[in-house]
Amino acid sequence: MSRERRLTAGAVAVLLVALLGVAVGPGVLADPTADGPVRPGHVSIAESPAIAPGEVDGATATLTLHTRIGHRGNPTDNVSVRYRAYDAESGLLTTERTLELDELTGDRSVPVNATIEVPREGGYVIETVVFRDGQVVDRDRTEVSGLEALGTEVRFTESEAVPPLSVSVASVDEEANRTTLAVAASLTNGGAESSDELRVEVIVRQAESNLVAARDSTTVSDIGPGRTADATTEVTVPSEYNYYVDAAVYRDGVLVDTARSVANLDPTETISANETTREVEFEVGDFEGGDGADDRMTEAPRATETSTGAPGFGPALAVVALLGAALLARRRTRQ
């Protein structure tokens, strides 16, 4: 076979193979600019979630999450963002939410906003995970705490002049050996709006045994912005014991703040580090309704005896002088 025939036969064979390939796989010779599989663009977390408090009720708090997802390269779809809240202490999953995003195009970042609801206590680790086609492409973790304080700016007053708790003796029943304590809790609203109704609970525990000797509660509301108000209650306890006085502020059943003071009714032992323990005769009734004056005992001046006799001879010397004069006169008479 001549060379020309061999070349012609080879060209025909190549053409037949190409035609067969087109018949079996129509896209083999397709225009590369036509629509087809395209490598997706790059997706990542451009900004970590900014967490802001939302609606707050008695037991739960809503957290608003503001995130930005960055994209560059080819258009990308099938992108989702998953938020999870884990308990900061136990690490247990509390809640989660997943958002599906529209197709991402261009070199830019897009905002992604979501809300999650968590119990209003303790702290949480907020995990943000970005998926593309079901695969993790980026993640972020942010911690949030202090949720029990959301919804109110009222706290026990922190001032050297005004203590958070003031404990005084209201009355004493000596026959029953009972003392009634008046407990005044000072609360300050540091927010921009008046407070809702708050419940103040007072618990008195005997110092040595930690047994609850008495407890009571009262309510206070409408504390104006920047204002301070007192919530006062009375509790009756056995006399001649020392007590820890604990107070707690609740909003919708959620603990907001706590404070502690002491009541030393036992004169021989105290539970304050800066007090001296000594034996004294002490009656708590002595302090009932006092005006705060410092009554001090004063010692009466001692009487001083002074001599009123005139200078000269005393009575004994006068007698001796008289006897001497009498003897002298008798001698002269004999002569």
Side-chain angles (χ1 to χ4, degrees):
M1 181 181 294
S2 65
R3 181 179 179 184
E4 290 78 6
R5 290 182 178 181
R6 289 197 297 270
L7 292 175
T8 302
V12 172
V14 171
L15 180 59
L16 292 175
V17 171
L19 293 175
L20 181 61
V22 171
V24 175
V28 174
L29 298 179
D31 185 355
T33 62
D35 293 339
V38 178
R39 183 176 181 178
H42 177 77
V43 180
S44 63
I45 299 175
E47 294 182 7
S48 297
I51 304 174
E55 183 178 353
V56 178
D57 60 24
T60 61
T62 300
L63 301 180
T64 302
L65 311 177
H66 304 278
T67 313
R68 296 193 72 88
I69 302 300
H71 172 266
R72 68 175 184 270
N74 296 326
T76 307
D77 55 8
N78 198 21
V79 176
S80 61
V81 180
R82 185 188 69 193
Y83 296 102
R84 281 182 172 178
Y86 296 92
D87 187 277
E89 294 185 0
S90 66
L92 297 177
L93 176 64
T94 302
T95 187
E96 71 173 273
R97 184 175 183 182
T98 301
L99 300 178
E100 300 291 340
L101 305 186
D102 296 334
E103 183 182 52
L104 302 178
T105 59
D107 295 344
R108 61 193 181 96
S109 65
V110 296
V112 179
N113 301 323
T115 59
I116 57 175
E117 191 174 271
V118 295
R120 189 181 161 193
E121 59 183 3
Y124 299 91
V125 176
I126 308 300
E127 181 187 62
T128 305
V129 180
V130 179
F131 295 88
R132 183 186 62 198
D133 295 329
Q135 301 295 321
V136 176
V137 295
D138 202 1
R139 68 173 66 233
D140 180 87
R141 294 171 72 90
T142 305
E143 188 168 352
V144 61
S145 60
L147 300 186
E148 62 274 6
L150 292 178
T152 180
E153 296 294 335
V154 177
R155 296 286 187 276
F156 282 105
T157 303
E158 297 181 1
S159 171
E160 295 182 358
V162 181
L165 285 180
S166 299
V167 183
S168 60
V169 175
S171 62
V172 177
D173 187 343
E174 295 183 357
E175 294 183 359
N177 194 31
R178 291 292 185 270
T179 300
T180 299
L181 302 175
V183 182
S186 179
L187 302 172
T188 299
N189 184 1
E193 299 179 356
S194 296
S195 66
D196 297 330
E197 184 176 85
L198 303 171
R199 180 172 64 89
V200 180
E201 183 176 19
V202 175
I203 300 177
V204 181
R205 292 183 173 87
Q206 201 272 330
E208 288 75 14
S209 65
N210 204 37
L211 294 176
V212 175
R215 67 192 307 162
D216 197 9
S217 63
T218 185
T219 59
V220 61
S221 60
D222 295 331
I223 303 177
R227 301 291 184 177
T228 298
D230 287 342
T232 304
T233 185
E234 293 186 353
V235 290
T236 300
V237 296
S239 303
E240 299 182 359
Y241 290 95
N242 294 329
Y243 299 94
Y244 289 112
V245 182
D246 295 317
V249 181
Y250 293 88
R251 178 183 182 273
D252 295 332
V254 177
L255 179 64
V256 174
D257 199 8
T258 60
R260 166 171 282 193
S261 184
V262 296
N264 288 318
L265 304 184
D266 184 353
T268 63
E269 296 181 3
T270 62
I271 54 176
S272 180
N274 58 357
E275 293 184 13
T276 303
T277 301
R278 60 176 182 172
E279 296 285 347
V280 294
E281 293 184 2
F282 175 82
E283 292 291 341
V284 70
D286 294 343
F287 296 88
E288 178 185 355
D291 57 2
D294 187 9
D295 297 331
R296 302 181 184 275
M297 295 180 61
T298 57
E299 183 179 0
R302 296 182 180 178
T304 304
E305 294 183 358
T306 58
S307 176
T308 57
F313 295 103
L317 292 178
V319 172
V320 172
L322 291 175
L323 290 176
L327 291 175
L328 181 60
R330 185 177 181 182
R331 178 180 294 183
R332 289 179 178 179
T333 302
R334 288 179 179 180
Q335 292 178 353

